[in-house]
């Protein structure tokens, strides 16, 4: 599946989401995926709240809270030849009028260096997205991801 196919899949799924708030928050997840594919760390970081942020990366050994700490994680995580992410299952909950939570499973296809075989890794996630009333944006306030047990970790 290519990035464009992935985006079509996400747009088709969006029609099944329940509320305009959930749809608006989901667009933040779509942007995160797009920026991840392109390796655009600066744009990824702008999707995260500057304060009150809790971040557990899929391959992280500790929690991060600041954009500078997130940059360190993404610098390492995206230091590869190619990476794609496919969300295969998820559910959405509108917690309050300005907080939406997504929980699900995604796959990363990672080619570390040119010529290396692609490795597919399953992970689970919980994303909490909060609406920022000041600039009318939905932003990650919590990002938790961990490898699925069947990965052998």
């Amino acid at each position: 599946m290519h990035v464009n196919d992935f985006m079509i899949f996400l747009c088709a799924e969006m029609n099944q989401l329940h509320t305009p708030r959930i749809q608006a928050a989901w667009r933040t997840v779509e942007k995160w995926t797009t920026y991840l594919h392109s390796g655009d760390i600066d744009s990824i970081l702008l999707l995260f709240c500057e304060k009150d942020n809790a971040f557990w990366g899929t391959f992280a050994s500790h929690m991060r809270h600041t954009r500078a700490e997130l940059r360190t994680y993404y610098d390492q995580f995206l230091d590869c030849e190619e990476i794609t992410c496919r969300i295969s299952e998820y559910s959405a909950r509108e917690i309050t009028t300005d907080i939406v939570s997504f929980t699900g499973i995604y796959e990363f296809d990672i080619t570390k260096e040119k010529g290396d075989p692609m490795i597919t890794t399953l992970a689970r996630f919980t994303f909490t997205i909060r609406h920022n009333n000041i600039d009318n944006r939905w932003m990650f306030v919590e990002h938790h991801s961990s490898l699925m047990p069947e990965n052998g970790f």
Side-chain angles (χ1 to χ4, degrees):
M1 182 178 288
H2 294 90
V3 173
N4 290 340
D5 296 335
F6 180 74
M7 295 307 291
I8 291 168
F9 169 75
L10 289 178
C11 291
E13 289 294 314
M14 171 127 8
N15 294 329
Q16 297 176 13
L17 299 176
H18 303 289
T19 69
R21 288 183 189 99
I22 289 174
Q23 292 177 19
W26 183 253
R27 283 191 283 279
T28 300
V29 176
E30 288 180 314
K31 289 176 187 176
W32 175 80
T33 306
T34 299
Y35 299 149
L36 187 78
H37 289 173
S38 66
D40 187 348
I41 295 172
D42 290 333
S43 294
I44 289 171
L45 297 178
L46 292 176
L47 297 175
F48 288 84
C49 291
E50 200 160 356
K51 298 179 181 177
D52 301 326
N53 187 19
F55 179 88
W56 277 105
T58 309
F59 301 95
S61 60
H62 64 279
M63 189 174 359
R64 291 168 167 83
H65 299 282
T66 67
R67 286 185 180 164
E69 291 172 331
L70 269 67
R71 177 176 295 284
T72 300
Y73 174 80
Y74 280 110
D75 280 341
Q76 294 170 354
F77 181 56
L78 295 177
D79 184 23
C80 57
E81 181 68 24
E82 181 180 1
I83 186 167
T84 59
C85 175
R86 287 183 307 283
I87 297 174
S88 57
E89 177 184 332
Y90 61 91
S91 64
R93 292 180 298 140
E94 189 172 325
I95 308 299
T96 67
T97 57
D98 64 346
I99 296 176
V100 174
S101 175
F102 298 99
T103 302
I105 297 170
Y106 48 25
E107 278 182 28
F108 290 107
D109 292 327
I110 302 169
T111 304
K112 195 65 177 159
E113 294 183 21
K114 191 172 184 153
D116 284 354
M118 181 182 298
I119 298 168
T120 299
T121 302
L122 285 174
R124 52 193 165 199
F125 66 86
T126 299
F127 299 149
T128 305
I129 315 278
R130 182 174 64 202
H131 186 255
N132 179 336
N133 291 318
I134 295 170
D135 58 4
N136 196 31
R137 293 190 312 142
W138 288 86
M139 303 174 75
F140 286 93
V141 68
E142 184 174 332
H143 178 292
H144 181 270
S145 179
S146 59
L147 294 173
M148 294 291 279
E150 57 264 28
N151 287 305
F153 295 99

